[in-house]
């Protein structure tokens, strides 16, 4: 079930794409943990120019940059 599929969303304050991604994830009822890359130097170095980044339970990067409802739905469908 999609509510059991938890993901991590890497964001930073003032990121409009991050705000849109959060709205789309909430609308898709996809549970996520938001992680501010500014609070971790390694994450900031890795993702500073790619946020938002959606990472699955297995650590795979599922989506970067501009998110779409259709892409989120395909991720949920794959489980």
């Amino acid at each position: 079930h999609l509510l059991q599929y938890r993901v991590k969303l890497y964001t930073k304050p003032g990121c409009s794409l991050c705000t849109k991604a959060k709205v789309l994830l909430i609308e898709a009822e996809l549970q996520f943990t938001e992680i501010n890359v500014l609070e971790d130097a390694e994450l900031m170095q890795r993702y500073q120019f790619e946020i938002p980044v959606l990472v699955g339970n297995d650590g795979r990067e599922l989506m970067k940059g501009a998110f779409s409802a259709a892409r989120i739905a395909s991720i949920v469908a794959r489980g």
Side-chain angles (χ1 to χ4, degrees), residues 8-28:
K8 293 179 183 175
L9 180 65
Y10 294 104
T11 66
K12 71 179 181 183
C15 167
S16 61
L17 288 177
C18 299
T19 301
K20 181 178 179 184
K22 287 187 277 190
V23 169
L24 290 171
L25 292 172
I26 290 167
E27 288 174 351

Side-chain angles (χ1 to χ4, degrees), residues 24-41:
L24 290 171
L25 292 172
I26 290 167
E27 288 174 351
E29 298 180 343
L30 187 59
Q31 293 184 6
F32 63 95
T33 301
E34 184 176 0
I35 298 168
N36 180 350
V37 298
L38 297 181
E39 295 175 0
D40 183 308

Side-chain angles (χ1 to χ4, degrees), residues 58-72:
D58 57 3
R60 281 187 311 125
E61 294 175 1
L62 303 171
M63 207 176 320
K64 293 181 184 180
F67 287 26
S68 72
R71 288 180 67 197
I72 291 170

